[in-house]
Amino acid sequence: MNCERIREKLIDAIAAGEPEVSAELAMHLLSCDGCRVFYETEARLVLSMETGIRTIVNQLVPISLLPRVRERLEESAAPRKWIYALVPVTALLVFAALAAAPSMRHWFGTAEGRVASVQNKGTAAAKNETLPAMRDNGMIPSRSAVSNSYRGSLKAHLAPSVKKEAEVPEVLVGEDELRGIALLSSIVYRKPEIANALLHPIVPAEESTQPIVLQKIVPLEVASLEIRPLAEENR
Amino acid sequence: MQELVLTQPGKLAKASGGAVEETAAPRELELLLTENAPLAYRVAVGVLRNPAEAEDVAQESLLRAYRRFHLLRDAQRFRSWLVRITFRLALDRSRSLRRRTERETSWARPELRPPAQNAEELAAAQEFQGRLGRALDDLPDGQRLVMLLTAMEGHTVEETAAILGVPAGTVKSRLFKARKRLMEKLR
């Protein structure tokens, strides 16, 4: 048997942790100094190796290990108590925020809401110029004069999205239209025949079979209709 | 060994497999941790070879075992579970430490360091320990863990097999391969 194969077997025997080599290998070691030295060297190496590893892993366990684990457990438990103590405070803050929400709507509302708010400011001036003046002149009756049934029917014709956004429906008109509507309403109030003429088709007298029944025109204010100039919308 | 009294009550598993009972009181868990804390430390120090870092990792693994005990379906495998947690944490720490060391000492070449002032034998022993540590680091995880566990006092091959939940033959096979690799590296 050549020494190279013997050495491979010796390495296997040492790596397997066998306390003694086989009889065949023992015989060779007795007769071969080179292999015996090799075996002793390898065995010493494995012994050093295992001693080294034992030295590493069998170090004394620090006394502080378990007390520190306990401390860390207590530390991790402590913040939870603190968080639980904050629950009522948080609840109070939430309630306060909810209560203050309506008044904060201007600041924290949607973009549409903010635009509407700006538009309201812009149209307020126009409204102040026209409607109160007309009301003072007796052209427009007071809000209380407007029947609830009319309001209901008006709301029923409005788009659902408009209904959702505001109780009071919104109709946007141009500035010229605003003036036109105001003028028309004042004329119609003073001259009801013009209104009747607008409501009925013009039929030549010789062709008419029935007399025209004139309707009574009563003053009307669409209280829930806010008239805004379109110019505000485009800003 | 010192007494461990843990104040946080542990959540215990409602054994879906019937392995862990509700009666597994926090006290039992405390005892398990107390008994196995040295094992966790030794696994950590075996990987890290740095007592301070090993203690930190052992603490972390014990904390994790305490907090996640309810996830363990078989309480009998607590030792194995703890060893695996510790080994993983130690490997992670070892890698991050190695990266940090490489970053911080990249300017220093080993040949430029001053020679050891101590006796030759001590220097040789230190040098050997260094080489051994590096060789251990290069072992596959399974072989490395087996080498560490069998080197611990009182751990036979059978006990190591029980801790890892593998047959004794597997432990022997891993030991054999690990020793051969180490011999090749250290020769």
Short mmCIF file of all heavy atoms in Angstrom, two decimals, chain A residues 11-12 15-17 42 45-46 48-50 52-54 56-66 68-70 72-74 76 80, chain B residues 2 4-8 38 41-42 45-46 49 51 55 59-60 63 66-67 129 132 147-148 151-153 176 179-180 182-183 186-187:
data_model
loop_
_atom_site.label_atom_id
_atom_site.label_comp_id
_atom_site.label_asym_id
_atom_site.label_seq_id
_atom_site.Cartn_x
_atom_site.Cartn_y
_atom_site.Cartn_z
N ILE A 11 -6.20 10.42 7.61
CA ILE A 11 -6.97 11.67 7.75
C ILE A 11 -8.44 11.34 8.02
O ILE A 11 -9.07 11.92 8.92
CB ILE A 11 -6.82 12.55 6.49
CG1 ILE A 11 -5.42 13.14 6.44
CG2 ILE A 11 -7.87 13.67 6.47
CD1 ILE A 11 -5.10 13.85 5.14
N ASP A 12 -8.96 10.37 7.29
CA ASP A 12 -10.36 9.99 7.50
C ASP A 12 -10.58 9.48 8.92
O ASP A 12 -11.59 9.78 9.56
CB ASP A 12 -10.77 8.91 6.48
CG ASP A 12 -10.96 9.50 5.08
OD1 ASP A 12 -10.94 10.74 4.96
OD2 ASP A 12 -11.09 8.72 4.12
N ALA A 15 -10.47 12.45 11.29
CA ALA A 15 -11.65 13.30 11.12
C ALA A 15 -12.89 12.61 11.66
O ALA A 15 -13.81 13.28 12.15
CB ALA A 15 -11.85 13.64 9.65
N ALA A 16 -12.92 11.30 11.60
CA ALA A 16 -14.07 10.56 12.13
C ALA A 16 -14.03 10.47 13.65
O ALA A 16 -14.98 9.99 14.26
CB ALA A 16 -14.13 9.18 11.52
N GLY A 17 -12.92 10.88 14.22
CA GLY A 17 -12.81 10.87 15.68
C GLY A 17 -12.54 9.48 16.24
O GLY A 17 -12.82 9.23 17.42
N GLU A 42 -1.04 15.44 12.19
CA GLU A 42 -2.47 15.66 11.91
C GLU A 42 -3.30 15.49 13.19
O GLU A 42 -4.24 16.26 13.43
CB GLU A 42 -2.95 14.68 10.84
CG GLU A 42 -2.38 14.93 9.45
CD GLU A 42 -2.80 16.27 8.87
OE1 GLU A 42 -4.01 16.56 8.81
OE2 GLU A 42 -1.91 17.05 8.49
N LEU A 45 -2.92 18.49 15.22
CA LEU A 45 -3.66 19.60 14.61
C LEU A 45 -5.15 19.54 15.01
O LEU A 45 -5.74 20.54 15.43
CB LEU A 45 -3.52 19.56 13.08
CG LEU A 45 -4.36 20.58 12.30
CD1 LEU A 45 -3.92 22.01 12.61
CD2 LEU A 45 -4.26 20.32 10.80
N VAL A 46 -5.71 18.34 14.90
CA VAL A 46 -7.14 18.19 15.24
C VAL A 46 -7.34 18.44 16.72
O VAL A 46 -8.33 19.08 17.13
CB VAL A 46 -7.64 16.78 14.83
CG1 VAL A 46 -9.03 16.53 15.38
CG2 VAL A 46 -7.65 16.66 13.33
N SER A 48 -5.52 20.43 18.62
CA SER A 48 -5.43 21.89 18.82
C SER A 48 -6.71 22.58 18.36
O SER A 48 -7.21 23.50 19.00
CB SER A 48 -4.26 22.47 18.02
OG SER A 48 -3.08 21.80 18.33
N MET A 49 -7.19 22.08 17.26
CA MET A 49 -8.41 22.64 16.67
C MET A 49 -9.57 22.52 17.66
O MET A 49 -10.27 23.49 17.95
CB MET A 49 -8.72 21.81 15.42
CG MET A 49 -9.34 22.51 14.30
SD MET A 49 -9.23 21.40 12.86
CE MET A 49 -10.34 20.09 13.30
N GLU A 50 -9.73 21.32 18.17
CA GLU A 50 -10.87 21.08 19.06
C GLU A 50 -10.68 21.79 20.40
O GLU A 50 -11.64 22.29 20.99
CB GLU A 50 -11.07 19.58 19.24
CG GLU A 50 -11.46 18.97 17.89
CD GLU A 50 -12.08 17.61 18.00
OE1 GLU A 50 -11.82 16.92 18.99
OE2 GLU A 50 -12.81 17.24 17.07
N GLY A 52 -9.09 24.56 20.70
CA GLY A 52 -9.37 25.96 20.39
C GLY A 52 -10.86 26.25 20.37
O GLY A 52 -11.33 27.24 20.93
N ILE A 53 -11.61 25.35 19.76
CA ILE A 53 -13.06 25.56 19.69
C ILE A 53 -13.68 25.44 21.08
O ILE A 53 -14.56 26.22 21.45
CB ILE A 53 -13.71 24.55 18.70
CG1 ILE A 53 -13.16 24.79 17.28
CG2 ILE A 53 -15.22 24.71 18.68
CD1 ILE A 53 -13.57 23.74 16.27
N ARG A 54 -13.18 24.47 21.85
CA ARG A 54 -13.72 24.33 23.23
C ARG A 54 -13.43 25.58 24.05
O ARG A 54 -14.26 26.02 24.83
CB ARG A 54 -13.09 23.11 23.91
CG ARG A 54 -13.74 21.83 23.49
CD ARG A 54 -13.43 20.70 24.47
NE ARG A 54 -13.59 19.43 23.80
CZ ARG A 54 -12.57 18.70 23.31
NH1 ARG A 54 -11.33 19.11 23.48
NH2 ARG A 54 -12.79 17.57 22.68
N ILE A 56 -13.20 28.51 22.98
CA ILE A 56 -14.10 29.58 22.55
C ILE A 56 -15.49 29.39 23.16
O ILE A 56 -16.05 30.31 23.76
CB ILE A 56 -14.22 29.61 21.00
CG1 ILE A 56 -12.89 29.99 20.37
CG2 ILE A 56 -15.31 30.57 20.57
CD1 ILE A 56 -12.84 29.76 18.85
N VAL A 57 -16.04 28.18 23.00
CA VAL A 57 -17.46 28.02 23.35
C VAL A 57 -17.71 27.78 24.84
O VAL A 57 -18.84 27.97 25.29
CB VAL A 57 -18.12 26.87 22.54
CG1 VAL A 57 -18.11 27.19 21.07
CG2 VAL A 57 -17.48 25.54 22.84
N ASN A 58 -16.69 27.38 25.55
CA ASN A 58 -16.93 27.08 26.97
C ASN A 58 -16.50 28.22 27.89
O ASN A 58 -16.15 27.99 29.05
CB ASN A 58 -16.24 25.78 27.36
CG ASN A 58 -16.92 24.58 26.71
OD1 ASN A 58 -18.14 24.46 26.74
ND2 ASN A 58 -16.15 23.73 26.06
N GLN A 59 -16.56 29.40 27.36
CA GLN A 59 -16.25 30.56 28.21
C GLN A 59 -17.31 30.69 29.29
O GLN A 59 -18.44 30.25 29.12
CB GLN A 59 -16.23 31.82 27.37
CG GLN A 59 -15.07 31.89 26.41
CD GLN A 59 -15.04 33.20 25.65
OE1 GLN A 59 -15.55 34.20 26.09
NE2 GLN A 59 -14.42 33.17 24.49
N LEU A 60 -16.89 31.32 30.38
CA LEU A 60 -17.87 31.55 31.46
C LEU A 60 -18.99 32.46 30.98
O LEU A 60 -18.74 33.45 30.30
CB LEU A 60 -17.17 32.21 32.65
CG LEU A 60 -16.31 31.28 33.52
CD1 LEU A 60 -15.61 32.09 34.60
CD2 LEU A 60 -17.15 30.17 34.13
N VAL A 61 -20.17 32.07 31.35
CA VAL A 61 -21.32 32.89 30.96
C VAL A 61 -21.33 34.14 31.85
O VAL A 61 -21.23 34.02 33.07
CB VAL A 61 -22.63 32.10 31.14
CG1 VAL A 61 -23.83 32.95 30.76
CG2 VAL A 61 -22.59 30.84 30.30
N PRO A 62 -21.43 35.31 31.25
CA PRO A 62 -21.42 36.53 32.07
C PRO A 62 -22.59 36.54 33.07
O PRO A 62 -23.71 36.16 32.72
CB PRO A 62 -21.59 37.65 31.05
CG PRO A 62 -21.33 37.06 29.74
CD PRO A 62 -21.57 35.60 29.83
N ILE A 63 -22.29 36.97 34.27
CA ILE A 63 -23.34 37.01 35.30
C ILE A 63 -24.43 38.00 34.91
O ILE A 63 -25.58 37.86 35.28
CB ILE A 63 -22.71 37.42 36.66
CG1 ILE A 63 -21.69 36.36 37.06
CG2 ILE A 63 -23.75 37.56 37.75
CD1 ILE A 63 -20.83 36.76 38.24
N SER A 64 -24.03 38.98 34.13
CA SER A 64 -25.00 40.04 33.79
C SER A 64 -26.01 39.62 32.73
O SER A 64 -26.95 40.35 32.45
CB SER A 64 -24.23 41.26 33.28
OG SER A 64 -23.44 40.89 32.16
N LEU A 65 -25.82 38.44 32.15
CA LEU A 65 -26.67 38.06 31.01
C LEU A 65 -28.16 38.05 31.38
O LEU A 65 -28.96 38.77 30.76
CB LEU A 65 -26.25 36.69 30.48
CG LEU A 65 -27.12 36.11 29.35
CD1 LEU A 65 -27.10 37.01 28.13
CD2 LEU A 65 -26.65 34.71 28.96
N LEU A 66 -28.53 37.28 32.37
CA LEU A 66 -29.96 37.17 32.71
C LEU A 66 -30.53 38.44 33.32
O LEU A 66 -31.64 38.84 32.95
CB LEU A 66 -30.19 35.96 33.61
CG LEU A 66 -30.01 34.62 32.87
CD1 LEU A 66 -30.09 33.46 33.83
CD2 LEU A 66 -31.01 34.46 31.76
N ARG A 68 -29.76 41.37 32.59
CA ARG A 68 -29.97 42.32 31.48
C ARG A 68 -31.16 41.93 30.63
O ARG A 68 -31.86 42.79 30.10
CB ARG A 68 -28.70 42.40 30.63
CG ARG A 68 -27.66 43.27 31.28
CD ARG A 68 -26.50 43.55 30.38
NE ARG A 68 -25.45 44.26 31.08
CZ ARG A 68 -24.22 44.40 30.63
NH1 ARG A 68 -23.87 43.84 29.49
NH2 ARG A 68 -23.32 45.07 31.31
N VAL A 69 -31.36 40.64 30.50
CA VAL A 69 -32.56 40.19 29.77
C VAL A 69 -33.79 40.69 30.51
O VAL A 69 -34.74 41.19 29.89
CB VAL A 69 -32.58 38.65 29.65
CG1 VAL A 69 -33.91 38.17 29.09
CG2 VAL A 69 -31.45 38.17 28.76
N ARG A 70 -33.77 40.55 31.82
CA ARG A 70 -34.91 41.00 32.63
C ARG A 70 -35.12 42.50 32.48
O ARG A 70 -36.24 42.98 32.30
CB ARG A 70 -34.67 40.63 34.10
CG ARG A 70 -35.86 40.93 34.99
CD ARG A 70 -35.68 40.32 36.37
NE ARG A 70 -34.51 40.82 37.06
CZ ARG A 70 -33.48 40.07 37.45
NH1 ARG A 70 -33.45 38.80 37.21
NH2 ARG A 70 -32.47 40.61 38.10
N ARG A 72 -34.27 44.39 30.00
CA ARG A 72 -34.78 44.72 28.67
C ARG A 72 -36.26 44.37 28.53
O ARG A 72 -37.00 45.05 27.85
CB ARG A 72 -33.95 44.02 27.59
CG ARG A 72 -32.58 44.67 27.43
CD ARG A 72 -31.70 43.95 26.46
NE ARG A 72 -32.17 44.04 25.08
CZ ARG A 72 -31.49 43.54 24.04
NH1 ARG A 72 -30.34 42.94 24.23
NH2 ARG A 72 -31.97 43.66 22.82
N LEU A 73 -36.65 43.31 29.19
CA LEU A 73 -38.08 42.95 29.18
C LEU A 73 -38.89 44.03 29.89
O LEU A 73 -39.96 44.41 29.43
CB LEU A 73 -38.29 41.61 29.87
CG LEU A 73 -38.10 40.37 29.01
CD1 LEU A 73 -38.20 39.12 29.84
CD2 LEU A 73 -39.13 40.34 27.89
N GLU A 74 -38.36 44.50 31.01
CA GLU A 74 -39.09 45.56 31.73
C GLU A 74 -39.14 46.84 30.92
O GLU A 74 -40.16 47.52 30.89
CB GLU A 74 -38.40 45.81 33.08
CG GLU A 74 -38.70 44.71 34.09
CD GLU A 74 -37.82 44.79 35.33
OE1 GLU A 74 -36.98 45.71 35.40
OE2 GLU A 74 -37.97 43.92 36.19
N SER A 76 -39.08 47.09 27.70
CA SER A 76 -40.01 46.94 26.58
C SER A 76 -41.45 46.94 27.06
O SER A 76 -42.35 47.29 26.32
CB SER A 76 -39.72 45.67 25.80
OG SER A 76 -39.92 44.55 26.63
N ARG A 80 -45.46 50.41 26.89
CA ARG A 80 -46.85 50.04 26.63
C ARG A 80 -47.77 50.70 27.66
O ARG A 80 -48.82 51.20 27.31
CB ARG A 80 -46.99 48.52 26.69
CG ARG A 80 -46.35 47.87 25.49
CD ARG A 80 -46.53 46.39 25.54
NE ARG A 80 -45.71 45.74 24.53
CZ ARG A 80 -45.44 44.46 24.51
NH1 ARG A 80 -45.91 43.67 25.44
NH2 ARG A 80 -44.70 43.96 23.55
N GLN B 2 -27.80 31.90 38.40
CA GLN B 2 -28.68 32.90 38.99
C GLN B 2 -30.14 32.69 38.60
O GLN B 2 -30.43 32.09 37.58
CB GLN B 2 -28.25 34.31 38.57
CG GLN B 2 -28.37 34.57 37.09
CD GLN B 2 -27.02 34.59 36.40
OE1 GLN B 2 -26.01 34.57 37.06
NE2 GLN B 2 -27.01 34.62 35.10
N LEU B 4 -33.74 33.71 37.36
CA LEU B 4 -34.31 34.67 36.41
C LEU B 4 -35.79 34.81 36.71
O LEU B 4 -36.54 33.85 36.62
CB LEU B 4 -34.14 34.16 34.97
CG LEU B 4 -34.78 35.03 33.89
CD1 LEU B 4 -34.04 36.34 33.75
CD2 LEU B 4 -34.81 34.31 32.57
N VAL B 5 -36.16 35.98 37.12
CA VAL B 5 -37.58 36.23 37.37
C VAL B 5 -38.03 37.26 36.36
O VAL B 5 -37.63 38.41 36.41
CB VAL B 5 -37.82 36.73 38.81
CG1 VAL B 5 -39.30 36.98 39.03
CG2 VAL B 5 -37.30 35.72 39.80
N LEU B 6 -38.82 36.82 35.44
CA LEU B 6 -39.26 37.70 34.38
C LEU B 6 -40.64 38.22 34.70
O LEU B 6 -41.53 37.46 35.06
CB LEU B 6 -39.26 36.94 33.05
CG LEU B 6 -37.89 36.38 32.68
CD1 LEU B 6 -38.01 35.44 31.51
CD2 LEU B 6 -36.92 37.48 32.35
N THR B 7 -40.78 39.49 34.58
CA THR B 7 -42.04 40.10 35.02
C THR B 7 -43.11 40.09 33.96
O THR B 7 -44.28 40.16 34.25
CB THR B 7 -41.78 41.56 35.44
OG1 THR B 7 -41.12 42.21 34.37
CG2 THR B 7 -40.94 41.62 36.69
N GLN B 8 -42.69 40.05 32.69
CA GLN B 8 -43.69 40.08 31.64
C GLN B 8 -44.27 38.68 31.43
O GLN B 8 -43.54 37.75 31.14
CB GLN B 8 -43.05 40.55 30.33
CG GLN B 8 -44.07 40.69 29.22
CD GLN B 8 -43.39 41.02 27.91
OE1 GLN B 8 -42.21 41.32 27.88
NE2 GLN B 8 -44.12 40.95 26.84
N PRO B 38 -27.05 29.72 29.15
CA PRO B 38 -25.64 29.43 28.84
C PRO B 38 -25.45 28.84 27.44
O PRO B 38 -24.49 29.17 26.76
CB PRO B 38 -25.25 28.41 29.91
CG PRO B 38 -26.21 28.62 31.01
CD PRO B 38 -27.49 29.02 30.37
N TYR B 41 -25.58 31.64 25.01
CA TYR B 41 -24.36 32.45 25.06
C TYR B 41 -23.21 31.72 24.36
O TYR B 41 -22.44 32.32 23.60
CB TYR B 41 -23.98 32.75 26.51
CG TYR B 41 -22.66 33.47 26.62
CD1 TYR B 41 -22.56 34.83 26.32
CD2 TYR B 41 -21.50 32.78 26.99
CE1 TYR B 41 -21.34 35.48 26.39
CE2 TYR B 41 -20.29 33.43 27.08
CZ TYR B 41 -20.21 34.78 26.77
OH TYR B 41 -19.00 35.42 26.84
N ARG B 42 -23.12 30.43 24.60
CA ARG B 42 -21.98 29.68 24.03
C ARG B 42 -22.08 29.55 22.52
O ARG B 42 -21.06 29.58 21.82
CB ARG B 42 -21.88 28.32 24.72
CG ARG B 42 -21.30 28.48 26.09
CD ARG B 42 -21.31 27.25 26.91
NE ARG B 42 -20.68 27.54 28.20
CZ ARG B 42 -20.96 26.90 29.31
NH1 ARG B 42 -21.85 25.93 29.32
NH2 ARG B 42 -20.34 27.22 30.43
N VAL B 45 -21.01 32.99 21.32
CA VAL B 45 -19.59 33.27 21.44
C VAL B 45 -18.79 32.37 20.50
O VAL B 45 -17.71 32.75 20.02
CB VAL B 45 -19.12 33.13 22.92
CG1 VAL B 45 -18.82 31.69 23.31
CG2 VAL B 45 -17.89 34.00 23.17
N GLY B 46 -19.32 31.19 20.22
CA GLY B 46 -18.66 30.30 19.27
C GLY B 46 -18.63 30.90 17.89
O GLY B 46 -17.66 30.74 17.15
N ARG B 49 -16.85 34.91 18.75
CA ARG B 49 -15.55 34.91 19.44
C ARG B 49 -15.26 36.26 20.09
O ARG B 49 -14.14 36.72 20.15
CB ARG B 49 -14.43 34.53 18.46
CG ARG B 49 -14.61 33.16 17.86
CD ARG B 49 -13.44 32.75 17.02
NE ARG B 49 -13.27 33.60 15.87
CZ ARG B 49 -14.01 33.53 14.76
NH1 ARG B 49 -14.97 32.62 14.65
NH2 ARG B 49 -13.77 34.35 13.75
N PRO B 51 -16.75 38.14 23.57
CA PRO B 51 -17.69 37.98 24.70
C PRO B 51 -18.76 39.07 24.76
O PRO B 51 -19.93 38.77 25.02
CB PRO B 51 -16.78 38.04 25.93
CG PRO B 51 -15.46 37.60 25.43
CD PRO B 51 -15.36 38.10 24.03
N GLU B 55 -22.66 38.27 24.31
CA GLU B 55 -23.65 38.51 25.36
C GLU B 55 -24.84 39.29 24.81
O GLU B 55 -26.00 38.99 25.10
CB GLU B 55 -23.02 39.28 26.52
CG GLU B 55 -23.98 39.42 27.68
CD GLU B 55 -23.41 40.20 28.86
OE1 GLU B 55 -22.21 40.52 28.83
OE2 GLU B 55 -24.17 40.49 29.79
N GLN B 59 -28.60 37.84 24.69
CA GLN B 59 -29.75 38.58 25.27
C GLN B 59 -30.87 38.70 24.26
O GLN B 59 -32.04 38.47 24.56
CB GLN B 59 -29.30 39.98 25.67
CG GLN B 59 -28.55 40.06 26.97
CD GLN B 59 -28.11 41.50 27.23
OE1 GLN B 59 -28.77 42.45 26.81
NE2 GLN B 59 -26.99 41.66 27.88
N GLU B 60 -30.48 39.08 23.07
CA GLU B 60 -31.49 39.28 22.03
C GLU B 60 -32.23 37.99 21.72
O GLU B 60 -33.46 37.97 21.58
CB GLU B 60 -30.79 39.81 20.77
CG GLU B 60 -31.71 40.21 19.65
CD GLU B 60 -32.69 41.31 20.02
OE1 GLU B 60 -32.28 42.22 20.75
OE2 GLU B 60 -33.86 41.21 19.60
N LEU B 63 -34.61 37.12 24.52
CA LEU B 63 -35.79 37.99 24.46
C LEU B 63 -36.75 37.53 23.37
O LEU B 63 -37.96 37.46 23.56
CB LEU B 63 -35.37 39.44 24.18
CG LEU B 63 -34.82 40.21 25.36
CD1 LEU B 63 -34.23 41.53 24.91
CD2 LEU B 63 -35.93 40.49 26.37
N TYR B 66 -38.50 34.45 24.39
CA TYR B 66 -39.53 34.74 25.39
C TYR B 66 -40.79 35.31 24.74
O TYR B 66 -41.90 34.92 25.06
CB TYR B 66 -38.95 35.74 26.40
CG TYR B 66 -39.85 35.97 27.59
CD1 TYR B 66 -39.89 35.05 28.63
CD2 TYR B 66 -40.65 37.09 27.67
CE1 TYR B 66 -40.72 35.24 29.71
CE2 TYR B 66 -41.47 37.30 28.76
CZ TYR B 66 -41.51 36.38 29.78
OH TYR B 66 -42.33 36.58 30.85
N ARG B 67 -40.57 36.23 23.82
CA ARG B 67 -41.72 36.91 23.21
C ARG B 67 -42.45 36.03 22.20
O ARG B 67 -43.62 36.22 21.96
CB ARG B 67 -41.25 38.19 22.52
CG ARG B 67 -40.89 39.26 23.50
CD ARG B 67 -40.26 40.44 22.80
NE ARG B 67 -39.86 41.46 23.76
CZ ARG B 67 -38.85 42.28 23.58
NH1 ARG B 67 -38.14 42.22 22.47
NH2 ARG B 67 -38.54 43.18 24.48
N GLN B 129 -5.38 30.68 16.76
CA GLN B 129 -6.79 30.94 17.09
C GLN B 129 -7.44 31.81 16.01
O GLN B 129 -8.59 31.60 15.65
CB GLN B 129 -6.91 31.66 18.44
CG GLN B 129 -6.80 30.75 19.65
CD GLN B 129 -7.92 29.72 19.76
OE1 GLN B 129 -7.69 28.55 19.49
NE2 GLN B 129 -9.11 30.15 20.11
N LEU B 132 -8.01 29.62 13.08
CA LEU B 132 -9.11 28.69 13.40
C LEU B 132 -10.46 29.41 13.29
O LEU B 132 -11.42 28.87 12.72
CB LEU B 132 -8.92 28.14 14.81
CG LEU B 132 -10.03 27.22 15.33
CD1 LEU B 132 -10.16 25.97 14.47
CD2 LEU B 132 -9.76 26.81 16.79
N MET B 147 -20.05 21.62 14.93
CA MET B 147 -18.72 21.73 15.56
C MET B 147 -18.81 22.47 16.88
O MET B 147 -18.18 22.06 17.87
CB MET B 147 -17.75 22.49 14.63
CG MET B 147 -17.16 21.69 13.51
SD MET B 147 -16.16 20.27 14.03
CE MET B 147 -14.73 21.03 14.74
N LEU B 148 -19.58 23.53 16.89
CA LEU B 148 -19.69 24.33 18.12
C LEU B 148 -20.43 23.55 19.21
O LEU B 148 -20.01 23.55 20.37
CB LEU B 148 -20.42 25.65 17.83
CG LEU B 148 -19.72 26.62 16.88
CD1 LEU B 148 -20.60 27.84 16.63
CD2 LEU B 148 -18.37 27.05 17.43
N ALA B 151 -18.50 20.74 20.75
CA ALA B 151 -17.36 21.19 21.54
C ALA B 151 -17.79 21.70 22.92
O ALA B 151 -16.95 21.88 23.80
CB ALA B 151 -16.61 22.30 20.80
N MET B 152 -19.06 21.91 23.09
CA MET B 152 -19.53 22.41 24.40
C MET B 152 -19.47 21.30 25.43
O MET B 152 -19.72 20.13 25.11
CB MET B 152 -20.97 22.92 24.28
CG MET B 152 -21.05 24.24 23.57
SD MET B 152 -22.75 24.77 23.43
CE MET B 152 -22.58 25.97 22.14
N GLU B 153 -19.18 21.71 26.65
CA GLU B 153 -19.05 20.73 27.73
C GLU B 153 -20.34 19.93 27.90
O GLU B 153 -21.43 20.50 27.97
CB GLU B 153 -18.73 21.45 29.04
CG GLU B 153 -17.28 21.90 29.10
CD GLU B 153 -17.01 22.79 30.29
OE1 GLU B 153 -17.93 22.98 31.12
OE2 GLU B 153 -15.89 23.30 30.39
N PHE B 176 -17.49 14.98 10.62
CA PHE B 176 -16.42 14.42 9.79
C PHE B 176 -16.02 15.42 8.70
O PHE B 176 -14.84 15.74 8.53
CB PHE B 176 -16.90 13.10 9.19
CG PHE B 176 -15.95 12.47 8.24
CD1 PHE B 176 -14.80 11.80 8.69
CD2 PHE B 176 -16.17 12.51 6.87
CE1 PHE B 176 -13.91 11.21 7.80
CE2 PHE B 176 -15.28 11.93 5.97
CZ PHE B 176 -14.15 11.28 6.44
N ARG B 179 -14.38 18.60 10.20
CA ARG B 179 -12.98 18.40 10.63
C ARG B 179 -12.05 18.34 9.43
O ARG B 179 -10.95 18.91 9.46
CB ARG B 179 -12.88 17.11 11.44
CG ARG B 179 -13.40 17.25 12.86
CD ARG B 179 -12.96 16.06 13.70
NE ARG B 179 -13.64 16.02 14.99
CZ ARG B 179 -14.46 15.05 15.39
NH1 ARG B 179 -14.72 14.03 14.59
NH2 ARG B 179 -15.01 15.08 16.58
N LYS B 180 -12.47 17.64 8.41
CA LYS B 180 -11.60 17.54 7.22
C LYS B 180 -11.36 18.91 6.59
O LYS B 180 -10.24 19.24 6.21
CB LYS B 180 -12.23 16.59 6.19
CG LYS B 180 -11.98 15.13 6.51
CD LYS B 180 -12.41 14.22 5.38
CE LYS B 180 -11.33 14.10 4.32
NZ LYS B 180 -11.61 13.03 3.35
N LEU B 182 -11.50 21.78 8.11
CA LEU B 182 -10.66 22.59 9.00
C LEU B 182 -9.20 22.15 8.90
O LEU B 182 -8.29 22.98 8.90
CB LEU B 182 -11.16 22.46 10.44
CG LEU B 182 -12.50 23.16 10.77
CD1 LEU B 182 -12.90 22.89 12.21
CD2 LEU B 182 -12.41 24.67 10.53
N MET B 183 -9.00 20.84 8.83
CA MET B 183 -7.62 20.33 8.73
C MET B 183 -6.96 20.85 7.46
O MET B 183 -5.79 21.23 7.47
CB MET B 183 -7.64 18.79 8.74
CG MET B 183 -7.93 18.20 10.11
SD MET B 183 -8.40 16.46 10.02
CE MET B 183 -6.83 15.67 9.73
N LEU B 186 -6.10 24.51 8.00
CA LEU B 186 -5.15 24.85 9.05
C LEU B 186 -3.81 24.14 8.90
O LEU B 186 -2.88 24.41 9.67
CB LEU B 186 -5.74 24.51 10.42
CG LEU B 186 -7.01 25.28 10.80
CD1 LEU B 186 -7.63 24.73 12.06
CD2 LEU B 186 -6.70 26.77 10.96
N ARG B 187 -3.72 23.27 7.96
CA ARG B 187 -2.50 22.46 7.82
C ARG B 187 -1.31 23.33 7.44
O ARG B 187 -1.43 24.31 6.73
CB ARG B 187 -2.74 21.40 6.75
CG ARG B 187 -1.70 20.30 6.74
CD ARG B 187 -2.08 19.20 5.78
NE ARG B 187 -3.19 18.43 6.31
CZ ARG B 187 -4.26 18.05 5.58
NH1 ARG B 187 -4.34 18.39 4.33
NH2 ARG B 187 -5.22 17.35 6.12
#
